[in-house]
Amino acid sequence: MKFNEAIKEATIKALKQNKKNLLFGLEVTNQGAGFIEKFPNQVFETPVSELSSTGLVVGLASRGFKPTIVYGRIEFALLAMDQILTQAGRWEYMFGGNYPCPAKFRIQIGRQWGNGPQHTANYHSIFFQALEFDIFIPSTPKEAYYQILYMSHSSIPSIFLEHRYLNLINQNFKTSKKKINIKNSKIYGKKKDDILIITYADTLPITLKAKEILEINNIFPTIMNLSFFPRRNRISKKDIIFINNFSNILFIDSAPFDFGILSGVNSILSMKLKNKNFYKLSSKNMPAPSSPKFMGNYYINKNNIINYVTNILKKKRIKLKKLSFEEEILWPNFTLK
Amino acid sequence: MKIKKIIYKKAFDTIIKIRILEENISKEFKKNKILSFLHLSIGQEACAAGVALALKKEDIFFGNHRSHGHYLAKGGDIKKMIFEIFGDERGCCRGIGGSMHMLDKKVNFLGSVPILGSAISISSGIALAEKIKKKSNLTVVFIGDGAAEEGSFYETINMAGLYKIPLLIVIEDNKYAVESDFVKRKVKGYNLNNITSGFNALYKRISGQDFKKVFKETKILREKIIKNQCVGVLHLDCLRFSKHSGAEVSEKEQKSKYRKNEYYEIIKNDPIDIIKKDLKENGYKKKEILNLEKIFVSKYNSIFSKVFKQIKIR
């Protein structure tokens, strides 16, 4: 199942499971999308009025429904920030509790295939300061599938940051009928490797590809991919204990690092753990360009990771092939192991 | 439409309830007992009373930053409101929300939020929830003339019309957004009747100082909105006696500040004087009216005093 298929399948399952799960957004009622045909009373096309359609969703959520609203780009969701942050994000607290507002915001975010400065922003960290949201940033189809289902049951307002860049990533997994159990992170590797790479979202596929090449050259990195950030503890104690097994910790981010998610994780770890060497590799502190020529220099890639890891570990530089256009610019298209 | 005698009495009670409780709150605000914004509706009481008394218990209210009056008119718990405004845990939002967050689900007052325009679309969601549950009640949202300038107002009228949501938007037009006069904020020829009719919504503009007019038009609009499953806008011209935020102001301040030209209009159109005339025209004797006023004033002064004694500010 591909990343976008996993989101669709889980959404259909959620709509089927509970009539109070509703879906709103531009083009969600398109014939062939698979929603309106099966759930005509639960799926609503919205006007191009992000602020008010989001307010509508907040009102519905306050009355016992679990509506999800989809935004085609985060830049459009910015038009609705009053309702997302100030209303849904404060609702239960400001009304003294016992008044849930489980609105779900599915926001497409980050790089695509060249949508330039106004369609590629990585504003993940805005939501981390909003405090009352569960935040989901899946990297794999399996994570996306179970996170959507988890959200559909949850009474907490939720932000689902969806990287379309991952849409073609494939993963074979069995869909469970049992209780949905999601994890804050997934570990790729062992707990005594040479270096720990902490990443999230769309950076996972290239980091996994870099890991394959490093291992062929006897360098063994472990990857911790963060994907669920609960409202009370954005990073779990269990994860911090695991991270403590490593002395070299590299943060890899497709967003600008400074004051972003991983910058926040770095700050927590710096206060809790001693004798650690922290490194970072990220996009530049500037907006993303449209042109493929400039994008190649803007986003980090597989070769950047390999070179940086060998440099940190003072290993011999690995001879690398120049990246193809597909590898460097287009959406990753392979099956996760 | 003939309004029953008892309704006038209830309206008199409601208007005095709002006036007296807010005057008491205002006095304590001056003594630094409330460390938050305080938006009083003194002068605008007939809007809340007229709408509330015209509707049914199952109808829903949602308010804004200036909603003590709406909450009280809907029958919200008085003690919990006073506790809330003074930040006491016994308040309707456990003292967390404060003056701008009124809530009493028992009487279908489902909340108030102070961000201009937010309440409008939230209310459309509340109304849609009721529609999906196949209820035949009305959701009412109160906004000011400033909030009606927000994009959310225009977006929601379109969206609620599209989804056939029964929603009544009450605009309390006191001519000021904070302290900015409407002539500074609206294009010449700005016309809400034209705007709302372009969205196929119902629209009526009347004086909000006059209880009986508000009551009658609300009744008519309710029936039409429920029947046609559409949006209605009730535009009430009203007069805010107090400042945008904070305690009520003295006559001297009223005259010397931004209200200079309106001052005499304000005095002339006190909703209490208007309802007293209505009571007289509907069979109540002068002495009877004064006696009722005395009873209501005393009742609400006493309630405030009893609750306030229980509050420890810090």
Side-chain angles (χ1 to χ4, degrees), chain B residues 106-231:
Chain B
K106 282 182 189 163
V107 296
N108 281 326
F109 190 94
L110 295 187
S112 62
V113 293
I115 306 300
L116 291 187
S118 288
I120 312 167
S121 53
I122 292 170
S123 303
S124 72
I126 291 170
L128 180 57
E130 298 299 292
K131 188 180 167 92
I132 295 172
K133 290 174 189 170
K134 300 198 184 313
K135 293 188 179 172
S136 57
N137 55 349
L138 180 69
T139 300
V140 182
V141 58
F142 291 88
I143 64 167
D145 50 311
E149 290 165 15
E150 294 280 1
S152 162
F153 173 71
Y154 308 97
E155 286 184 8
T156 304
I157 296 178
N158 174 59
M159 183 178 61
L162 177 73
Y163 295 155
K164 299 189 188 312
I165 296 172
L167 177 69
L168 174 61
I169 302 171
V170 178
I171 302 173
E172 290 176 277
D173 185 349
N174 60 27
K175 317 290 177 289
Y176 288 90
V178 188
E179 296 191 2
S180 173
D181 194 329
F182 77 98
V183 291
K184 295 178 187 168
R185 308 177 344 250
K186 287 181 162 74
V187 67
K188 199 176 174 187
Y190 180 95
N191 187 314
L192 270 175
N193 190 14
N194 292 346
I195 293 167
T196 50
S197 69
F199 286 110
N200 214 10
L202 303 172
Y203 176 82
K204 189 75 189 177
R205 183 171 189 171
I206 50 165
S207 166
Q209 300 303 101
D210 189 332
F211 162 77
K212 64 181 176 301
K213 286 183 184 167
V214 179
F215 179 89
K216 284 179 182 176
E217 288 306 331
T218 306
K219 281 254 181 214
I220 294 166
L221 275 172
R222 187 189 191 278
E223 204 177 313
K224 287 182 182 172
I225 292 169
I226 298 287
K227 186 182 170 193
N228 300 318
Q229 296 289 287
C230 65
V231 179

Side-chain angles (χ1 to χ4, degrees), chain A residues 44-47 49 51-53 55-56 59-60 62-63 65 82-83 86-87 91 93-96 98-99, chain B residues 62 93-94 96-97 101 103 105 110 112-113 115 118 121-122 124-126 129-130 132-133 152 155-156 159 163:
Chain A
F44 297 79
E45 188 74 20
T46 56
S49 306
L51 177 58
S52 291
S53 46
L56 178 104
L60 277 160
S62 75
R63 298 297 287 156
F65 287 85
D82 162 49
Q83 291 294 344
T86 312
Q87 305 306 335
W91 192 272
Y93 178 76
M94 74 191 178
F95 284 123
N98 196 26
Y99 197 2
Chain B
F62 201 87
C93 297
R94 290 173 49 216
I96 290 170
H101 294 287
L103 176 69
K105 290 187 205 170
L110 295 187
S112 62
V113 293
I115 306 300
S118 288
S121 53
I122 292 170
S124 72
I126 291 170
E130 298 299 292
I132 295 172
K133 290 174 189 170
S152 162
E155 286 184 8
T156 304
M159 183 178 61
Y163 295 155

Side-chain angles (χ1 to χ4, degrees), chain B residues 177-293:
Chain B
V178 188
E179 296 191 2
S180 173
D181 194 329
F182 77 98
V183 291
K184 295 178 187 168
R185 308 177 344 250
K186 287 181 162 74
V187 67
K188 199 176 174 187
Y190 180 95
N191 187 314
L192 270 175
N193 190 14
N194 292 346
I195 293 167
T196 50
S197 69
F199 286 110
N200 214 10
L202 303 172
Y203 176 82
K204 189 75 189 177
R205 183 171 189 171
I206 50 165
S207 166
Q209 300 303 101
D210 189 332
F211 162 77
K212 64 181 176 301
K213 286 183 184 167
V214 179
F215 179 89
K216 284 179 182 176
E217 288 306 331
T218 306
K219 281 254 181 214
I220 294 166
L221 275 172
R222 187 189 191 278
E223 204 177 313
K224 287 182 182 172
I225 292 169
I226 298 287
K227 186 182 170 193
N228 300 318
Q229 296 289 287
C230 65
V231 179
V233 175
L234 181 60
H235 187 163
L236 303 176
D237 289 297
C238 56
L239 296 157
R240 190 182 78 203
F241 288 10
S242 47
K243 290 193 290 188
H244 165 65
S245 176
E248 56 180 325
V249 291
S250 67
E251 282 190 20
K252 194 182 167 188
E253 277 180 300
Q254 288 275 12
K255 280 182 179 173
S256 63
K257 288 193 173 174
Y258 62 100
R259 291 202 167 274
K260 195 175 175 184
N261 297 331
E262 275 185 326
Y263 183 70
Y264 293 102
E265 194 187 353
I266 290 170
I267 297 299
K268 204 165 61 185
N269 287 295
D270 190 325
I272 292 181
D273 294 338
I274 297 173
I275 190 76
K276 278 181 181 173
K277 273 185 205 164
D278 288 332
L279 285 162
K280 203 175 168 189
E281 283 169 13
N282 283 277
Y284 287 91
K285 288 175 185 162
K286 196 179 173 184
K287 200 176 169 186
E288 208 178 346
I289 296 166
L290 289 174
N291 193 37
L292 276 176
E293 187 174 20

